[in-house]
Amino acid sequence: MKRSGLHVASRGAFAALFFACVTALPVQAQAPAKPLASVAPRDARVEQAQADVARKPAVAPRRDVFAPHSWLPPPAPPPKPVPPVEIQGPPAPPPPPPLTFAYLGQLDVQGEPTVYYLAQGERVLLVKIGDTIDGVYRLLAQEGAQLALVYLPLNAKQLLPLNRPQS
């Protein structure tokens, strides 16, 4: 590769000019640097922070970055022990449905059984002790101011109050 004389001369002129500028600059005497302690007063917080930094290790503990690693999720914790189940007798039978009857009155005839008038919705029933109503209830007896009925599917006794006027 050929270089022209102008190219080489320009390089040399540049170097000479640079050297002349650098050497012509006056050298200034610099004042000695002041220590940081004289610039700002020390604060207790600064001293504590410097002490903390001095106590802490500068290098983190090493660990093997090429150690084998499993990406599977961690195993499930063992199941909690199941408390023993107390074995009890059979569950209590469900309660009978509420009575749908209303006491209307009664007919007492000497020498004949008492006839009780009961209302069920819009129906009026004439019932004697021992009668079965719709195959579901049986009238057992009169107990004071109540009629005792038995709900036959559950054999559960229910009481129907007699709404007699108090005299």
Side-chain angles (χ1 to χ4, degrees):
M1 167 182 213
K2 280 185 163 183
R3 296 199 179 203
S4 67
L6 182 62
H7 182 69
V8 173
S10 67
R11 273 188 167 180
F14 177 74
L17 181 63
F18 178 74
F19 183 71
C21 290
V22 170
T23 57
L25 290 175
V27 177
Q28 297 177 354
Q30 294 182 354
K34 294 182 182 180
L36 289 177
S38 65
V39 174
R42 287 199 172 224
D43 189 4
R45 292 179 295 175
V46 172
E47 290 178 6
Q48 181 63 36
Q50 288 175 346
D52 289 346
V53 168
R55 275 187 254 144
K56 291 183 182 175
V59 178
R62 293 185 174 219
R63 65 182 181 122
D64 187 7
V65 294
F66 296 105
H69 179 73
S70 174
W71 293 100
L72 296 174
K80 294 181 182 178
V82 178
V85 177
E86 296 181 21
I87 299 176
Q88 298 177 353
L99 289 173
T100 58
F101 304 111
Y103 176 79
L104 297 177
Q106 65 188 41
L107 176 63
D108 292 324
V109 177
Q110 194 172 16
E112 293 187 25
T114 304
V115 177
Y116 298 95
Y117 295 91
L118 304 179
Q120 185 180 31
E122 294 187 13
R123 288 179 14 180
V124 176
L125 305 168
L126 304 173
V127 186
K128 298 176 189 168
I129 292 182
D131 287 352
T132 302
I133 305 168
D134 295 334
V136 180
Y137 288 96
R138 176 173 293 135
L139 181 60
L140 288 180
Q142 181 177 352
E143 298 176 356
Q146 298 175 337
L147 287 178
L149 294 123
V150 174
Y151 181 67
L152 296 174
L154 297 176
N155 197 25
K157 183 177 175 182
Q158 290 179 287
L159 299 174
L160 178 68
L162 304 177
N163 299 327
R164 293 183 183 175
Q166 300 296 327
S167 53

